[in-house]
Amino acid sequence: MSILEIAVASHIWARRHEKREPEFLEDDGLKILLRVAFAFLAFTLLIAGLNLAAGRPQTLAQQSVPFVADR
């Protein structure tokens, strides 16, 4: 094989095995946003369901905070 044949074969092999970056389309951004929103909603519902099954609804404060009238 000549050097030219080796170079052409190497170039063909490299072109076949190169990983091309996929293009980012506008629809892809919407799909990503919808998937993130769905995952967040599903996780929120899961946590709420587990808290409800455990018999303790989720609250912001577990106990009442004493109100300080005068300082």
Side-chain angles (χ1 to χ4, degrees), residues 17-54:
H17 292 86
E18 77 180 31
K19 294 181 179 170
R20 298 181 186 183
E21 293 290 324
E23 292 184 27
F24 182 77
L25 303 174
E26 292 179 16
D27 293 341
D28 294 339
L30 182 60
K31 287 179 187 176
I32 291 170
L33 183 63
L34 287 174
R35 286 180 183 169
V36 168
F38 178 76
F40 180 77
L41 180 65
F43 184 72
T44 302
L45 290 175
L46 175 70
I47 296 300
L50 289 173
N51 281 334
L52 189 62

Side-chain angles (χ1 to χ4, degrees), residues 1-14:
M1 269 184 144
S2 71
I3 294 176
L4 181 61
E5 289 172 332
I6 294 172
V8 170
S10 175
H11 181 69
I12 291 172
W13 183 85

